[in-house]
């Protein structure tokens, strides 16, 4: 019997193994618990290790994708409940916050190597009470709740301020004044590809009046800067490569914090992102993914994964069968209305100007309008959709996309996905879904309104109980 068959077989006892990392006097260690007496085999990792049978409850773990399939996976804090006895009391004082927790599921007669890893999380802390000791945890996304920028200036006019980061192609950014006496500004904290334009109150400055140091990310003016100083910059150039696409930028941002990114299928649109404050990495990733129709999550093994959403996948890896559904548990949850008009923003203006040189208004009014607006837009409409669905909606979204052509391509893709209403269903299944991932394609034994194919958007699971609440979109 394969692991998949074992999961799909009702009535079997499911043994849960819990591995909790903690720090003891500066040394990394792990604690081992289980829902039944278990000792790992000599060929296992860890070998010949007893898992104390103290697990008595908890483990309700819920993760869901946004129904627009962009940005982060949302999670709820879960817990592992241990019996309150002297052998678990030490956890109350253990250094566990921010440490990894791994949960496995299998048959207690198996070697640990045959167990499947069903949850990987980050510990939030320990909450003891009279009857239990609760290990609170969330998924690995907590590791991304840290600011992208951490390096600060230690002298000059920008003393104490965060150093900026420019990625991709950014229009009209505000560089950071670092030396007023020498008229030096910083526009990037890493090496850049190019500076294509410099402006004072929107008026273009002659290249002879400034010197750019692309390696240092600075610009020095030989004339006195007047009004708002802004620039067009082609940003970070790492190891000889200019980072422009979502895949390149996400990979770079994750690498800065030591996370390896598994990225697949994201479109290669040119993007622009300029960071100057304490924006969290998770927020930046949301902005990037939302711009290109992608989503990100940490899978069951703790691997950071980023994918494009293009509707129901061609290949279905999960099967939502009637015999696995708990009786009468399948119900429609939501109807997502169709779109008949979409306005998509592109070429974001990182410094909308309220004061613009009069010559710009006189000679190039279109440029003045762009300098004052937050972004350019493209709009696509489908009157036939409104005719077919009277409740069809309009939507306006902002993106980091740079070019009009890419913006139109993305708008066309989104309109095609939203040309008809979509539906979200919920069902409660037995243990089989404990091997599925968010975003997996699923085949429905009993079709829904839009056919037999769907995408898994939510998993609320409990390995102890062997039941999973599944939501799917089609």
């Amino acid at each position: 019997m394969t692991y998949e068959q074992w999961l799909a077989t009702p009535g079997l006892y499911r043994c849960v193994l819990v591995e909790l990392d903690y720090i003891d006097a500066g040394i990394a260690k792990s604690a081992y618990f289980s829902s039944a007496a278990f000792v790992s085999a000599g060929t296992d990792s860890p070998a010949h290790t007893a898992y104390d049978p103290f697990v008595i409850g908890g483990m309700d773990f819920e993760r869901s994708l946004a129904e627009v399939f962009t940005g982060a996976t949302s999670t709820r804090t879960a817990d592992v409940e241990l019996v309150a006895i002297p052998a678990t009391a030490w956890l109350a004082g253990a250094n566990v916050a921010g440490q990894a927790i791994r949960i496995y599921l299998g048959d207690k007669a198996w070697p640990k190597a045959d167990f499947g890893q069903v949850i990987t999380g980050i510990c939030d802390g320990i909450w003891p009470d009279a009857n239990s000791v609760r290990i609170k945890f969330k998924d690995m996304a907590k590791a991304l709740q840290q600011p992208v920028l951490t390096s600060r200036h230690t002298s000059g006019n920008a003393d104490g301020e965060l150093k900026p980061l420019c990625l991709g192609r950014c229009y009209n950014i505000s560089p950071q004044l670092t030396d007023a006496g020498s008229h030096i500004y910083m526009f990037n904290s890493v090496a850049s590809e190019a500076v294509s334009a410099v402006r004072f109150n929107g008026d273009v400055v002659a290249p002879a009046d400034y010197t750019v140091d692309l390696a240092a990310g600075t610009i020095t003016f030989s004339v006195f800067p007047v009004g708002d100083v802004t620039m067009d910059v082609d940003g970070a150039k790492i190891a000889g490569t200019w980072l422009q696409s979502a895949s390149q930028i996400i990979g770079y941002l994750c690498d800065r914090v030591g996370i390896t990114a598994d990225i697949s299928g994201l479109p290669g649109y040119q993007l622009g992102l300029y960071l100057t404050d304490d924006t969290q990495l998770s927020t930046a990733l949301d902005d990037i993914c939302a711009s290109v129709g992608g989503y990100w999550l940490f899978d069951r093994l703790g691997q950071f994964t980023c994918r494009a959403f293009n509707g129901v996948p061609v290949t279905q890896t999960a099967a939502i069968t009637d015999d696995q559904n708990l009786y009468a548990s399948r119900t429609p949850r939501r109807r997502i209305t169709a779109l008949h008009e979409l306005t998509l923003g592109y070429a974001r203006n990182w410094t909308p100007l309220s004061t613009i040189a009069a010559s710009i208004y006189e000679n190039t009014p279109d440029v003045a309008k762009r300098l004052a607006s937050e972004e350019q837009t493209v709009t696509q409409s489908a009157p036939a959709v409104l005719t077919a669905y009277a409740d069809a909606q309009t939507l306006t979204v902002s993106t980091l996309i740079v070019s009009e052509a890419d913006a139109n391509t993305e708008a066309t893709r989104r309109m095609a996905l939203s040309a008809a209403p979509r539906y979200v269903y919920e069902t409660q299944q037995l243990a089989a879904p404990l091997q599925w991932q968010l975003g997996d394609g699923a085949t429905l034994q009993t079709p829904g309104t839009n056919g037999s194919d769907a995408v898994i958007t939510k998993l609320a699971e409990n390995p102890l109980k062997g039941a999973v609440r599944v939501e799917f979109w089609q």
Side-chain angles (χ1 to χ4, degrees), residues 66-85:
E67 289 168 359
V68 292
F69 292 91
T70 57
T73 305
S74 62
T75 62
R76 290 185 179 179
T77 301
D79 61 36
V80 174
E81 186 178 355
L82 308 179
V83 62
I85 57 176

Side-chain angles (χ1 to χ4, degrees), residues 18-24 27-33 46 49-52 90-91 99-102:
V18 178
E19 298 179 354
L20 173 64
D21 294 344
Y22 64 98
I23 305 297
D24 181 16
I27 299 174
K29 297 182 179 180
S30 297
Y32 303 93
F33 305 104
T49 299
Y51 286 69
D52 297 321
W90 67 274
L91 285 167
Q99 302 302 307
I101 183 170
R102 297 169 295 279

Side-chain angles (χ1 to χ4, degrees), residues 9-75:
T9 303
L12 298 179
Y13 179 77
R14 319 286 183 180
C15 179
V16 174
L17 305 180
V18 178
E19 298 179 354
L20 173 64
D21 294 344
Y22 64 98
I23 305 297
D24 181 16
I27 299 174
K29 297 182 179 180
S30 297
Y32 303 93
F33 305 104
S34 65
S35 59
F38 180 84
V39 178
S40 62
T43 55
D44 286 331
S45 178
H48 301 300
T49 299
Y51 286 69
D52 297 321
F54 300 153
V55 177
I56 59 173
M59 294 199 189
D60 290 310
F61 189 54
E62 181 178 307
R63 298 173 297 152
S64 60
L65 292 174
E67 289 168 359
V68 292
F69 292 91
T70 57
T73 305
S74 62
T75 62

